[in-house]
Amino acid sequence: MEILEAAARLFAARGFHGVSIEDIGAAVGTSGPALYRHFSGKEALLSEMLLDISERLHASAAARVTAAPDAEHALDALLTGQIEFALGHPALITVHDRELGNVPEPARRQIRRLQRLYVEEWVTVLSELHPGCPPPRLRAATHAVFGLLNSTPHSAGELPPEAMAPLLRAMARAAFTEAGN
Amino acid sequence: MEILEAAARLFAARGFHGVSIEDIGAAVGTSGPALYRHFSGKEALLSEMLLDISERLHASAAARVTAAPDAEHALDALLTGQIEFALGHPALITVHDRELGNVPEPARRQIRRLQRLYVEEWVTVLSELHPGCPPPRLRAATHAVFGLLNSTPHSAGELPPEAMAPLLRAMARAAFTEAGN
DNA sequence: CGTGGATGTTAGTCATCATTAACGTAACCG
DNA sequence: CGGTTACGTTAATGATGACTAACATCCACG
């Protein structure tokens, strides 16, 4: 949806409470209250947005892992997916890890669940690659690598995406390898 | 200042616009407008907060680098400083890389300047360690490692700080080494 | 044709704030 | 003591903003 794209850009730039319904309307060429024909309210819009992102990330990860022949390739595929997403949709990534606190309770739990499942895809693969490494350590390492990969919005423009993607991948792999010891 | 600490916690949790002056007052035991005896306004409070953080980070980095005998130790010292800060003041870290957009223009430029200087401390050290590696690549790698180190607020509770600190350090070093190729 | 549903528009309404005013109080200093 | 300074308090005040109402339009389908 075009509305969600525009809202994501605005939320990423100024934060959920820093953006008005009128702002979002203006960004899609309509004015303000027209959005209530599509969303029941501002919080519902945010809920739908985060739910959509979480679902896409988790579904893509699950598909990639089951399609991979072994853990080594699975990790590569996970990295590819996350890097593509981070480079292709920086606003969505930004909102995804900043605005969960503003989602009201029914949806909040669901989003957390999907995020947890996403992390567990990574941890499962890593466990196979580094048996004997305690899962909490792998979980912490996974979060750290997410932070590394999602740094993209901050370093915008330092490198072209064609150079950024392999750099991020190499750094992430090295970091994981080191974390496995 | 106790006010800045409380405000940082609130801003980190709900975002600048999600926190009212009254909220901050309540968090320090006074009520609302009393804060105007200490700050000229909400934006000024944020400005002072980010300026203070940027100054501390930059000053600490500069001191550590000049005290180090060589680039190898300098990088270690930089990592130590950033990890201590990230683990010790997660709210400050969070606000520092989320809320720059809400700082009004006089202070904004100054904060950006300090942040740039901070990054350049890292890039200078890394350049010495990896001569021949183009600075934009080192800058991008530095931002990526900041993302890795600052992931702490997300993985809160996965590992105790005594385990988290060496893990982050090892991952960051490995990532930098890989980026240097 | 015409009628209903989807989608917009503009003008309220009602809260929530940031900020200021007007007014204490208590310590400190001459 | 008299008065200034530092710091709080509780009422305005004035914007801004989410959401609703009342009122078009337009298009599909009978």
Side-chain angles (χ1 to χ4, degrees), chain A residues 30-31 34 37-38:
Chain A
T30 85
S31 249
R37 300 291 179 189
H38 304 275

Side-chain angles (χ1 to χ4, degrees), chain B residues 30-31 33-34 37-38:
Chain B
T30 86
S31 249
R37 300 290 178 189
H38 304 274

Side-chain angles (χ1 to χ4, degrees), chain B residues 55-68 78 117-118 121:
Chain B
E55 270 162 8
R56 275 161 68 182
L57 283 174
H58 173 246
S60 149
R64 285 167 193 266
V65 166
T66 63
L78 286 175
L117 289 174
Y118 182 59
E121 294 284 348

Side-chain angles (χ1 to χ4, degrees), chain B residues 117-158:
Chain B
L117 289 174
Y118 182 59
V119 173
E120 289 314 307
E121 294 284 348
W122 289 71
V123 171
T124 302
V125 169
L126 288 169
S127 283
E128 203 168 329
L129 250 38
H130 304 282
C133 187
R137 183 178 167 96
L138 293 176
R139 248 185 295 280
T142 301
H143 282 292
V145 165
F146 287 170
L148 188 157
L149 299 177
N150 297 347
S151 69
T152 286
H154 292 295
S155 51
E158 291 288 1

Side-chain angles (χ1 to χ4, degrees), chain B residues 83-96:
Chain B
I83 290 170
E84 270 175 14
F85 198 87
L87 290 175
H89 310 281
L92 294 183
I93 282 290
T94 298
V95 173
H96 183 250

